[in-house]
């Protein structure tokens, strides 16, 4: 309940390039982050990989659903099919980056990040969290961000990321759908400030 359920990691060598990982549905039996008793659990950690494809049917009820990490090597040029990331406090987290490494040029295709309305009162919720400048040139294609309440859909402090035809659905617009402090981030498609889009 406090650790990481599933880890795919490896150094950046030619032996780990070009692999396709079809992962299981990762489901935590209870949702405890809403009560404050779970502050560390992670459903899936992907670390230090290049040129891989990850197929993720679903991740449910963790403090962090999908965590990306660049520690001993960069996490770059991967294709990720996220399925449904449901009822995680943080849907996709880019925060595990050491100095000189980056989470760059990855493509996320389809799927949904959603928190059900029953947990729409907890603070500190993010669907996509990109908190530093090392997370550049990532692309999100047709990812559905179903906003339920006082979470922020996207926090982006990095540069040159693209959101293409992503859907920003429902929720309370006063809490901010898209909070960007980086430069040259592009949003093409539905308006994230419109709660009905």
């Amino acid at each position: 309940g406090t650790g990481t359920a599933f880890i795919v990691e490896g150094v950046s060598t030619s032996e780990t390039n070009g692999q396709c990982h079809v992962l299981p549905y990762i489901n935590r039996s209870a949702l405890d982050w809403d009560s404050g008793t779970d502050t560390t659990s992670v459903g899936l950690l992907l670390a230090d990989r290049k040129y891989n494809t990850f197929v993720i049917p679903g991740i449910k009820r963790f403090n962090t659903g999908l965590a990306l990490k660049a520690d001993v090597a960069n996490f770059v040029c991967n294709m990720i099919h996220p399925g449904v990331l449901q009822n995680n406090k943080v849907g996709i987290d880019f925060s595990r980056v050491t100095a000189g490494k980056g989470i760059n040029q990855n493509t996320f295709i389809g799927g949904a990040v959603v928190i059900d309305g029953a947990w729409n009162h907890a603070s500190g919720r993010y669907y996509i969290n990109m908190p530093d400048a090392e997370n550049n040139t990532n692309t999100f294609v047709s990812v559905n961000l179903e906003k339920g309440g006082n979470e922020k859909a996207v926090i982006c402090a990095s540069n040159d990321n693209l959101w293409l035809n992503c859907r920003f659905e429902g929720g309370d617009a006063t809490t901010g759908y898209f909070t960007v402090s980086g430069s040259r981030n592009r949003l093409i498609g539905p308006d994230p400030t419109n709660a009905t889009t």
Side-chain angles (χ1 to χ4, degrees), residues 46-125:
L46 303 178
D48 308 318
R49 301 307 291 257
K50 287 185 177 179
Y51 316 118
N52 284 214
T53 297
F54 298 95
V55 179
I56 306 164
I59 305 171
K60 190 172 184 179
R61 298 191 187 101
F62 290 86
N63 185 72
T64 300
L66 171 60
L68 308 178
K69 182 177 179 181
D71 184 13
V72 299
N74 294 311
F75 185 88
V76 298
C77 300
N78 298 287
M79 185 174 295
I80 300 169
H81 300 269
V84 58
L85 307 181
Q86 185 174 6
N87 295 339
N88 303 290
K89 185 175 183 180
V90 178
I92 304 172
D93 184 34
F94 287 71
S95 70
R96 293 162 173 81
V97 181
T98 60
K101 304 300 178 187
I103 301 173
N104 305 316
Q105 295 179 296
N106 301 286
T107 302
F108 297 79
I109 299 177
V113 184
V114 58
I115 299 178
D116 294 340
W119 297 284
N120 67 6
H121 59 280
S123 61
R125 294 170 16 184

